[in-house]
Amino acid sequence: MTSRTDSDVTLIGLGLMGTALAGALLGAGHRTTVWNRTAAKAEELVTQGALLADSVGSAVNASPVVVTCVSDYASLQQVLTPVADRLGGRVLVNLASGDSEQAREMARWTEDRGATYLDGAIMAVPPTIGTAAAVILLSGPETTFTMHQSIFDALGTTAYLGEDHGLSALYDVAGLSMMWGVLNAWLQGVALLSTAGVDAASYTPFAAQLAQETVGWLAGYADQVDRGTYPSDDATLNTHAGGMTHLIEESERLGVNAELPRLFKALVDRAIAAGQGGRSYPVLIEQFAQPHATSR
Ligand code: NAP
């Protein structure tokens, strides 16, 4: 019988993602115990060397580190509540998606049972798990992350974000906002150029160059946001507003959807009405850092 070590790991939840995670752990040589509500999903992993636990309790008992990847936090509570008394002294790592408050609440629940909690968010699809392309965000106690880093490194490129358990979920949604912001802006341009017979492939190198140039502004603008000072040494909000009007009118004239540029302009108009028209673009953080009065 193989003796147990700190690198032993239990994986609970063998859906598409959990199966990929377990496969990567086995591939990296970790003694991996698995459990899934529908046990048949473990068959292939067992042929690869996984140990199939006959109950959630046995799965938790099997390893010092228990990684979970079920659908959501409600499912996780259903799975773990009956075996909560077995968590003491272990490390629970939840990789299911959720929000920052769920992560912090899960941390409190876990710590009340004498266990340590890391919360994670997977920025990847199952086929990339186990490769550098799979980015896994983790937050919680740094010493716990460091102690078990070999387990996380087996899953992909791990990024430790800090002690606050909510950080993984917050970076996750912030990343999605960045992604959809870029994609929607690109699609607006594709639609505009298509009215002149320019296809998406022809327009895209220009779009990519502009996106890269804009990304280059972010570090300086982040400095402005962190300092709370917005010197208008490049372009003022008033100047941006003029360009936005141009984008809205061109879109409308060509029969292209103008909702997105109208949203840009609405935010800028509110900042100008608040007396910010002479400041630089990131002063708009004041519009983003609060709920919109009519959005609730
Ligand atoms: P999935 O294929 O639908 O698998 C869901 C898993 O949760 C299954 O193991 C299922 O067990 C289990 N489960 C659900 N409700 C349960 C309950 N009440 N009790 C016990 N087990 C329960 O989903 P997935 O793609 O693996 O995703 C899992 C998590 O990873 C989600 O939070 C998802 O957002 C996140 N994620 C997924 C991806 C992706 O590309 N797939 C990417 C990033 C993050 P059964 O097999 O018995 O139904």
Side-chain angles (χ1 to χ4, degrees):
M1 186 179 158
T2 319
S3 62
R4 295 183 179 171
T5 73
D6 280 352
S7 78
D8 293 357
V9 58
T10 286
L11 198 302
I12 292 176
L14 300 176
L16 292 170
M17 186 52 86
T19 298
L21 296 170
L25 291 167
L26 288 166
H30 291 278
R31 183 179 188 274
T32 306
T33 300
V34 295
W35 181 86
N36 193 53
R37 179 178 59 182
T38 309
K41 289 188 187 170
E43 283 171 10
E44 173 61 28
L45 288 165
V46 169
T47 68
Q48 295 170 33
L51 305 166
L52 177 60
D54 59 6
S55 67
V56 191
S58 307
V60 170
N61 281 347
S63 315
V65 177
V66 177
V67 178
T68 56
C69 192
V70 294
S71 301
D72 49 31
Y73 281 82
S75 311
L76 183 59
Q77 280 292 353
Q78 281 180 18
V79 171
L80 291 183
T81 299
V83 297
D85 58 340
R86 306 201 185 191
L87 288 170
R90 300 181 199 282
V91 175
L92 176 66
V93 185
N94 174 42
L95 298 180
S97 307
D99 64 38
S100 57
E101 197 40 48
Q102 289 174 313
R104 292 177 185 132
E105 176 54 36
M106 194 68 210
R108 285 188 286 272
W109 185 87
T110 306
E111 285 161 7
D112 284 350
R113 278 141 192 93
T116 311
Y117 183 67
L118 288 172
D119 194 82
I122 302 173
M123 312 285 287
V125 289
T128 63
I129 295 297
T131 75
V135 174
I136 317 262
L137 309 177
L138 285 159
S139 50
E142 185 167 14
T143 48
T144 307
F145 168 77
T146 307
M147 195 180 305
H148 299 288
Q149 196 171 351
S150 71
I151 290 175
F152 310 131
D153 286 347
L155 305 177
T157 303
T158 48
Y160 173 74
L161 302 171
E163 301 271 336
D164 176 354
H165 292 93
L167 286 175
S168 304
L170 287 172
Y171 269 78
D172 188 11
V173 289
L176 293 174
S177 171
M178 194 74 196
M179 179 184 78
W180 287 319
V182 171
L183 289 175
N184 287 330
W186 172 71
L187 289 168
Q188 182 81 33
V190 169
L192 282 165
L193 267 297
S194 72
T195 65
V198 178
D199 63 16
S202 302
Y203 163 64
T204 293
F206 171 84
Q209 188 184 345
L210 249 293
Q212 272 166 17
E213 193 171 318
T214 308
V215 165
W217 304 342
L218 296 184
Y221 280 175
D223 194 45
Q224 292 189 14
V225 170
D226 289 341
R227 287 170 186 270
T229 57
Y230 307 97
S232 52
D233 47 14
D234 49 8
T236 64
L237 273 193
N238 287 327
T239 303
H240 281 284
M244 287 174 182
T245 299
H246 185 54
L247 170 59
I248 292 166
E249 288 176 356
E250 182 80 308
S251 297
E252 287 172 344
R253 196 173 54 77
L254 295 171
V256 166
N257 188 317
E259 286 172 283
L260 187 64
R262 269 198 226 104
L263 173 61
F264 298 163
K265 179 90 177 2
L267 290 164
V268 167
D269 284 347
R270 281 207 297 275
I272 291 172
Q276 313 277 30
R279 298 197 169 173
S280 66
Y281 201 83
V283 74
L284 278 192
I285 186 60
E286 293 174 11
Q287 305 304 315
F288 282 91
Q290 60 187 352
H292 176 27
T294 59
S295 67
R296 286 171 182 255

